């Protein structure tokens, strides 16, 4: 495993079309299961202090439960105001049943 690849959870922890938050070191990450594809982002909304895992997930869009801002969980792109800053995404690496992330890369595999 590369230095900054860490295990977040088991694939079985996330039912299809749901999201759950996990503490990983000093971070709190949200893991999404979109029809068997896993995506990981920061759990904290970029608008204010709210957990996106408490939000509503539909068609790859997470709607924040606090002010209804929204993001595409695959890219981190803002999809609805009042959010204006993109959400940090992480490169997902599946190892056996484990969902791992590279903390140094975004979902597209670019340095972040
Ligand atoms: Fe998420 Fe305001 S805290 S939209």
């Amino acid at each position: 495993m590369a230095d900054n690849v860490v295990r977040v959870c088991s694939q079985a922890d996330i039912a299809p079309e749901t999201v759950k938050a996990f503490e990983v070191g000093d971070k709190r990450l949200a893991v999404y299961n979109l029809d068997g594809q896993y995506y990981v982002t920061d759990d904290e909304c970029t608008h204010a202090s709210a957990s996106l895992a408490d939000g509503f997930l539909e068609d790859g869009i997470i709607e924040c439960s606090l002010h209804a801002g929204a993001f595409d969980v695959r890219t981190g792109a803002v999809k609805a105001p009042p959010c204006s800053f993109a959400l940090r995404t992480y490169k997902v690496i599946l190892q056996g049943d484990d969902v791992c992330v590279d903390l140094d890369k975004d979902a597209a595999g670019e340095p972040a």
Side-chain angles (χ1 to χ4, degrees):
M1 231 187 251
D3 279 353
N4 276 320
V5 175
V6 296
R7 179 186 182 277
V8 182
C9 62
S10 294
Q11 293 185 45
D13 290 336
I14 318 293
E17 315 314 315
T18 67
V19 53
K20 203 183 271 188
F22 295 87
E23 307 282 346
V24 179
D26 61 351
K27 294 180 180 295
R28 187 173 163 89
L29 303 178
V31 183
Y32 310 81
N33 178 343
L34 303 185
D35 201 21
Q37 295 282 320
Y38 294 87
Y39 297 89
V40 177
T41 71
D42 280 339
D43 181 53
E44 186 172 55
C45 183
T46 63
H47 177 240
S49 242
S51 167
L52 291 173
D54 291 338
F56 309 99
L57 180 64
E58 188 171 12
D59 295 333
I61 306 298
I62 186 73
E63 182 183 283
C64 181
S65 61
L66 199 51
H67 309 110
F71 305 90
D72 187 321
V73 306
R74 296 158 288 204
T75 64
V78 172
K79 289 296 176 182
C83 302
S84 57
F85 297 104
L87 185 62
R88 170 76 157 88
T89 63
Y90 296 85
K91 178 179 171 62
V92 172
I93 299 165
L94 298 181
Q95 296 186 333
D97 186 45
D98 290 341
V99 178
C100 306
V101 292
D102 187 331
L103 295 173
D104 291 338
K105 294 186 176 159
D106 66 15
E110 298 297 322

